[in-house]
C-alpha cells in the first residue's frame, strides 16, 4: 500500500478486495480486545479515503488498469463501516490518479504510467485517459477488462486506443512484451514505457482544473502530450484541451503523425452525430442531455465496446477526433449539460 493509500498494482478493484478482507478483520480484533498491528491500521486509514477517491458519484469504481467490476454494492458496504471518514485528496501522485468533483459530476483521470512488470497482470497503456460521470450515470468511460477473458480480449483492453485518451500513429504509449521470458519472470506481460507522467490539480471559485502531461511518445515522435481539463462549479460544463508539444531532438520517424482522441461512451448513453458533423448529442437514461463539440480535428462517431460488469462485451459507441499533429498544435473540446433533453437528429 503506497503512502497515498493506493495499491502498487494501480488497480482499484485490488484495493477493494483487500478492504473487504481487512475491514471485518479489524472489527473482529476490536471485539476480541486484540491489539491491531500498527502497520495494518495505518494502511487501512490510507486505503479507505483512496477507495472514495477512485469511486465515481454513482458509487462504483472508475475503470482503469484492469478493473472488471465497478462494485458499487461492495464499496457501499465497506464505506458504511468506516469510522474515520477520511476525505480523499484531489490528487494521488504515487498511485497516479487525479480527481475533480463539482455538483453532480465527477471526473477521474489516469495521470501515471503502468506499474512495474509483475505488479498487475491487467495493467494498461492509458496515460491521461479520463472518465466522466453525471450523478448516477456514466458518460465517458474506458473499455475496461472482463473477468475470465481470453488472451486476445486482454491484449485489446490493454491498448491505449481502448481508453479515453489520445494515440499517435495508432501506437500504444507502452511497448507490450508478452513471451516465454516475461511469463516466466513476471507471470504476466511486461509494459515498458519511456518518459514520465505528471499532473497538477487546482480548485478555484469557478471550478477545478487538472493540468497533466506525459512524454511516452517523445522517443518515437518528439512530441509530448499535454491535456488540460476544466470542470465548472456546477458540474455542467467540462472543457478540455489536448496539445502536442515538441520536446527533445526530432526522431527519424515521419513528422506530423496522425492523431486520434477517443471518448468511449457508456452503453446506456445514446449518441447522435449532427448532420454537419459539428457536434454529438448525448442522451442519458434519465433523459438528461449533453452536447459534445470540438475544434481542431474531424469529428466522427464510431463503434466501441464496454467489458466490465458483464459476461460478454457490450456494444457501445465512441466519439473520435482525428487529424494530424501540429496542424494545429492543439485540439479544444467540451461536454456541456443541456437544460432540456435534446431532440436527436438523424446522422448523414
Amino acid at each position: 500500500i503506497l503512502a497515498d493509500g493506493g495499491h502498487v498494482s494501480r488497480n482499484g478493484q485490488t484495493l477493494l478486495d483487500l478492504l473487504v478482507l481487512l475491514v471485518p478483520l479489524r472489527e473482529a480484533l476490536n471485539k476480541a480486545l486484540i491489539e491491531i498491528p500498527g502497520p495494518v491500521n495505518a494502511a487501512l486509514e490510507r486505503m479507505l479515503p483512496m477507495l472514495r477517491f477512485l469511486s465515481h458519484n454513482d458509487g462504483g469504481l472508475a475503470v482503469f488498469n484492469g478493473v472488471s467490476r465497478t462494485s458499487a454494492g461492495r464499496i457501499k458496504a465497506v464505506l458504511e463501516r468506516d469510522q474515520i471518514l477520511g476525505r480523499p485528496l484531489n490528487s494521488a501522485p504515487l498511485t497516479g490518479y487525479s480527481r475533480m468533483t463539482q455538483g453532480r459530476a465527477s471526473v477521474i483521470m489516469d495521470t501515471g504510467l503502468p506499474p512495474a512488470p509483475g505488479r498487475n497482470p491487467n495493467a494498461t497503456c492509458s496515460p491521461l485517459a479520463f472518465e466522466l460521470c453525471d450523478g448516477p450515470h456514466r458518460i465517458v468511460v474506458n473499455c475496461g477488462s472482463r473477468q475470465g477473458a481470453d488472451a486476445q480480449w486482454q491484449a485489446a483492453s490493454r491498448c491505449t486506443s481502448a481508453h479515453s485518451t489520445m494515440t499517435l500513429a495508432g501506437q500504444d504509449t507502452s511497448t507490450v512484451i508478452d513471451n516465454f521470458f516475461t511469463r516466466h519472470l513476471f507471470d504476466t506481460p511486461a509494459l515498458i514505457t519511456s518518459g514520465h507522467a505528471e499532473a497538477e490539480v487546482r480548485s478555484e471559485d469557478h471550478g477545478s482544473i487538472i493540468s497533466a502531461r506525459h512524454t511516452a511518445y517523445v522517443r518515437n515522435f518528439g512530441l509530448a502530450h499535454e491535456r488540460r481539463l476544466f470542470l465548472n462549479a456546477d458540474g455542467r460544463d467540462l472543457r478540455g484541451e489536448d496539445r502536442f508539444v515538441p520536446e527533445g531532438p526530432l526522431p527519424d520517424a515521419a513528422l506530423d503523425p496522425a492523431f486520434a482522441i477517443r471518448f468511449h461512451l457508456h452503453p446506456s448513453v445514446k449518441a447522435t452525430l449532427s448532420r454537419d458533423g459539428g457536434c454529438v448529442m448525448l442522451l442519458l437514461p434519465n433523459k438528461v442531455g449533453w452536447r459534445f463539440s470540438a475544434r481542431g480535428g474531424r469529428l466522427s462517431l464510431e463503434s466501441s465496446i464496454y467489458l466490465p460488469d458483464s459476461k460478454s462485451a457490450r456494444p457501445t459507441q465512441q466519439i473520435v477526433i482525428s487529424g494530424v499533429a501540429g496542424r494545429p498544435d492543439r485540439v479544444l473540446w467540451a461536454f456541456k449539460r443541456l437544460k432540456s433533453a435534446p431532440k436527436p437528429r438523424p446522422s448523414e
Side-chain angles (χ1 to χ4, degrees), residues 9 12 19 29 91 101 115 135 176-177 197 208 260 269 272 286-287 305 321:
S9 66
L19 284 168
L29 291 173
S91 178
T101 302
V176 182
I177 303 175
S208 299
V269 177
T272 306
N286 59 355
K287 306 304 179 184
I305 53 98
I321 307 172

Side-chain angles (χ1 to χ4, degrees), residues 259-270:
F259 71 82
I261 302 173
R262 304 175 189 275
F263 306 88
H264 295 273
L265 303 175
H266 191 270
S268 64
V269 177
K270 296 180 179 179

Side-chain angles (χ1 to χ4, degrees), residues 20-39:
V20 167
L21 297 173
L22 292 175
V23 169
L25 177 60
R26 181 170 66 173
E27 291 181 353
L29 291 173
N30 279 328
K31 289 180 180 179
L33 302 179
I34 299 174
E35 183 180 358
I36 302 169

